[in-house]
Amino acid sequence: ALYRDRLLVTAKIALKPEDASLERSQKIAELAEEILDAEGGQPKVVFAATILGNLVLNSQPAAQQKASSFQGDSPSAITRKVLADIGTEKEVTDQVCQIIEQRINGESSTDLDSKIVSDALMLVDLLEKKALLEEAALERLVDSKIQTETGKRVAREYLLSG
């Protein structure tokens, strides 16, 4: 939790995100933590990839994500700067950048940390769309999009009445 909080503060200073984006990042991190507790995984990698992935990718227009980006730096460069500011190990930073790059490129991974990040992001997306979807549609989305068993349990807990 201490690392997550330091990361949020440092990212807020470095990226100056909108409040809504920062709140969304906090919610993603909370959901990721719930999945991490049951599935295992590396907390630093998961927290950094969820928080920075959301903030870095939402700090720039989608058309610019692949080419040039926020303040002229690539998402990986921004991520590396923020993680260096809080003394994150190089190995962790490399893994975080790999997960973020995979998300930008629409690639999936069988790596547990990547699955947890993906599930936490998908859960937040589903929570934001909950009011617009019928329960049967939500159930299908949970089954098809959430990769970990804990992610599916958490999704049902938050999204479905049964």
Side-chain angles (χ1 to χ4, degrees):
L2 178 63
Y3 179 80
R4 182 184 70 197
D5 294 343
R6 285 180 52 218
L7 181 60
L8 279 164
V9 168
T10 305
K12 184 177 181 177
I13 293 166
L15 301 173
K16 297 170 185 56
E18 296 176 1
D19 288 343
S21 188
L22 194 60
E23 287 173 22
R24 186 174 197 271
S25 291
Q26 288 174 310
K27 185 65 182 171
I28 294 167
E30 289 167 13
L31 292 166
E33 184 172 21
E34 199 167 332
I35 299 169
L36 261 169
D37 288 346
E39 295 284 333
Q42 301 175 77
K44 283 185 176 182
V45 172
V46 171
F47 289 138
T50 55
I51 292 167
L52 292 175
N54 182 60
L55 292 176
V56 169
L57 298 180
N58 288 324
S59 69
Q60 54 191 311
Q64 293 179 351
Q65 285 177 6
K66 289 195 177 194
S68 126
S69 58
F70 182 76
Q71 296 177 343
D73 290 331
S74 71
S76 288
I78 298 165
T79 300
R80 287 182 189 285
K81 283 180 192 173
V82 172
L83 292 177
D85 286 347
I86 58 171
T88 302
E89 301 87 348
K90 183 187 181 317
E91 180 181 301
V92 170
T93 299
D94 290 344
Q95 289 175 283
V96 170
C97 288
Q98 182 179 5
I99 291 171
I100 291 172
E101 289 297 325
Q102 287 171 339
R103 294 210 58 81
I104 290 170
N105 296 324
E107 300 168 3
S108 60
S109 173
T110 57
D111 174 67
L112 178 61
D113 295 323
S114 186
K115 285 181 178 181
I116 293 170
V117 169
S118 178
D119 282 0
L121 290 165
M122 181 58 63
L123 279 165
V124 165
D125 286 345
L126 291 174
L127 284 167
E128 289 171 352
K129 294 174 180 141
K130 180 181 178 182
L132 305 174
L133 297 171
E134 293 179 16
E135 194 161 308
L138 282 170
E139 183 72 42
R140 285 191 301 276
L141 284 168
V142 167
D143 287 339
S144 67
K145 300 289 186 185
I146 305 294
Q147 301 176 54
T148 62
E149 287 306 312
T150 303
K152 289 181 185 201
R153 180 184 53 74
V154 170
R156 287 187 179 95
E157 205 173 282
Y158 282 94
L159 295 167
L160 305 170
S161 57

